[in-house]
Amino acid sequence: MIFLFSKTYFAKTTILSLFPFKHSRQMARSAIDEVSETGSFTRTASTFRSFISRDPNSQFPAESGRYHLYISYACPWASRCLAYLKIKGLEKAIRFTSVKPIWEQTKETDEHRGWVFPATDTEEPGAEPDPLNGAKTIRDLYELASTNYSGKFTVPVLWDKKLKTIVNNESAEIIRMFNTEFNDIAENASLDLYPSDLQDQIDGTNEWIYNGINNGVYRCGFATKQGPYDEAVKQVYEALDKCEEILGKQRYICGNKLTEADIRLFVTLIRFDEVYAVHFKCNKKLLREYPNLFNYTKDIYQIPSMSSTVNMQHIKRHYYGSHPSINPYGIIPLGPDIDYSSPHDRENFSA
């Protein structure tokens, strides 16, 4: 049976961990493996897609202390989940653990490189050992949840401590759960980032921002031929120009109210000048050259608790240190070291 989660997307499926199936061995195990023969980067879908519900009789009921979020500060998809955890006031109900920023070999038996936990609390500032399963890598968690799993070993991972399995690894769905399903225990339950009157607009905005910006920068960076890069970078700047125009008329991307679409856009913008402009060759125009977008990014960054979700050292060390096909010597650029806590002009728009 399939339960529709929203008007436009999300299907609630049987949990992979309890009913494991054998994935194709051709599936990519990291983003850099998702490049086709044409030189284009094509992201594959997440696999664990179960849903936590406020219904106490559901398979995964919303309970304080039952779930754990595994993230990387470097990963924009994981960072959007951490942002929700913080601004919804769910830190006491759902603990989180961050991995080390630079990919390392995950097993001695193959060449896969991915997310790894530090061995001690002091090895890597901002990262911690796995407190639940003693896992050495994120890959260990996937293989603990499903012995037949052969897909990507990605973050975020929303883990069920009771059933010892992955509930969900799709950030777009995790943030929807955090927005509504834990409101009985959230400290900021009144904050609704997906209000019913804006859902159609948010869904439509998410689609073009994902294609043009969130995933667009990856299509630029991981392209291995000129044609796919040229197409991708054109779409990135068309989408950024569209955002700049919209934000010249209103405070947030869907009006004068903070929504899910803003959080999803922010996690890419905060990485743009520091990483994507150099590492992913998105250098036609910097974020700082877009007055509205730059001030908007500072505005979101200065929302209480948001700045704690941004660890620029982890971000830069991951990208520049984990993709040898792009940056073989792992050299990390010095700048630009932007101060996103500086004043902005977004109060000129009514909130």
Side-chain angles (χ1 to χ4, degrees):
M1 183 179 295
I2 295 176
F3 300 87
L4 295 181
F5 174 49
S6 74
K7 295 187 182 77
T8 57
Y9 62 113
F10 302 170
K12 183 177 177 183
T13 57
T14 313
I15 63 167
L16 177 65
S17 52
L18 296 185
F19 303 96
F21 58 90
K22 192 169 184 177
H23 296 262
S24 167
R25 290 292 171 183
Q26 301 303 312
M27 289 184 68
R29 290 194 170 191
S30 69
I32 56 176
D33 298 321
E34 298 178 297
V35 179
S36 69
E37 292 181 358
T38 65
S40 299
F41 170 72
T42 305
R43 189 180 300 276
T44 55
S46 301
T47 307
F48 290 84
R49 307 296 285 271
S50 295
F51 189 68
I52 295 171
S53 170
R54 65 174 63 189
D55 180 358
N57 297 316
S58 67
Q59 188 167 27
F60 297 101
E63 299 173 357
S64 181
R66 175 166 173 170
Y67 303 100
H68 195 86
L69 181 67
Y70 292 97
I71 63 115
S72 165
Y73 282 107
C75 172
W77 320 102
S79 292
R80 58 165 74 158
C81 298
L82 181 60
Y84 265 70
L85 195 73
K86 299 266 189 174
I87 64 178
K88 285 289 293 186
L90 287 169
E91 290 180 89
K92 294 179 182 177
I94 305 171
R95 302 292 185 180
F96 75 93
T97 299
S98 175
V99 294
K100 296 164 66 175
I102 299 178
W103 285 347
E104 298 178 15
Q105 188 169 352
T106 58
K107 272 192 175 180
E108 295 181 357
T109 53
D110 59 40
E111 297 181 354
H112 175 262
R113 300 181 69 82
W115 302 113
V116 173
F117 295 99
T120 67
D121 290 321
T122 58
E123 178 186 342
E124 179 69 54
E128 309 84 29
D130 175 25
L132 302 178
N133 305 291
K136 304 300 182 184
T137 69
I138 289 293
R139 177 179 182 171
D140 290 345
L141 296 177
Y142 278 82
E143 294 179 345
L144 180 61
S146 175
T147 56
N148 292 324
Y149 186 76
S150 61
K152 293 189 297 179
F153 307 114
T154 58
V155 287
V157 168
L158 185 56
W159 182 266
D160 182 351
K161 294 190 283 186
K162 183 177 180 180
L163 296 180
K164 296 186 182 302
T165 192
I166 297 173
V167 179
N168 198 293
N169 68 335
E170 171 49 61
S171 63
E173 297 178 2
I174 294 172
I175 62 175
R176 293 279 175 93
M177 298 179 215
F178 288 175
N179 186 56
T180 58
E181 302 308 304
F182 289 89
N183 276 346
D184 291 339
I185 52 180
E187 294 179 359
N188 195 12
S190 62
L191 176 64
D192 184 3
L193 296 171
Y194 190 62
S196 58
D197 61 321
L198 292 176
Q199 287 180 4
D200 288 341
Q201 184 181 356
I202 292 169
D203 290 341
T205 302
N206 284 344
E207 184 174 0
W208 64 261
I209 286 178
Y210 171 81
N211 290 328
I213 300 176
N214 300 142
N215 196 50
V217 294
Y218 282 86
R219 292 173 56 226
C220 294
F222 289 150
T224 57
K225 294 184 180 179
Q226 191 69 44
Y229 165 78
D230 289 343
E231 178 183 355
V233 79
K234 178 175 180 289
Q235 293 175 2
V236 166
Y237 281 98
E238 286 175 349
L240 288 174
D241 290 344
K242 183 175 181 179
C243 288
E244 178 72 5
E245 181 180 1
I246 291 171
L247 293 170
K249 304 170 185 176
Q250 58 199 39
R251 185 165 185 173
Y252 301 112
I253 202 67
C254 287
N256 286 319
K257 182 177 182 180
L258 181 75
T259 69
E260 171 187 294
D262 297 298
I263 306 301
R264 290 171 54 124
L265 175 58
F266 169 80
V267 295
T268 300
L269 297 181
I270 198 71
R271 290 161 171 77
F272 199 88
D273 285 8
E274 297 278 5
V275 173
Y276 301 144
V278 178
H279 191 61
F280 282 173
K281 307 176 184 69
C282 297
N283 64 345
K284 178 183 176 182
K285 192 173 181 180
L286 298 175
L287 179 70
R288 288 165 288 168
E289 298 177 83
Y290 287 100
N292 296 323
L293 269 170
F294 185 43
N295 280 291
Y296 164 83
T297 304
K298 291 191 285 186
D299 190 13
I300 305 298
Y301 179 83
Q302 293 172 32
I303 293 171
S305 299
M306 279 297 293
S307 63
S308 67
T309 71
V310 180
N311 186 324
M312 197 57 71
Q313 288 299 312
H314 276 226
I315 290 169
K316 293 180 71 171
R317 289 178 60 209
H318 166 68
Y319 283 97
Y320 293 113
S322 298
H323 305 146
S325 60
I326 300 175
N327 189 31
Y329 294 105
I331 295 172
I332 302 173
L334 179 63
D337 194 24
I338 301 166
D339 180 11
Y340 288 100
S341 63
S342 62
H344 59 79
D345 64 356
R346 304 305 291 174
E347 296 93 343
N348 295 335
F349 301 93
S350 59

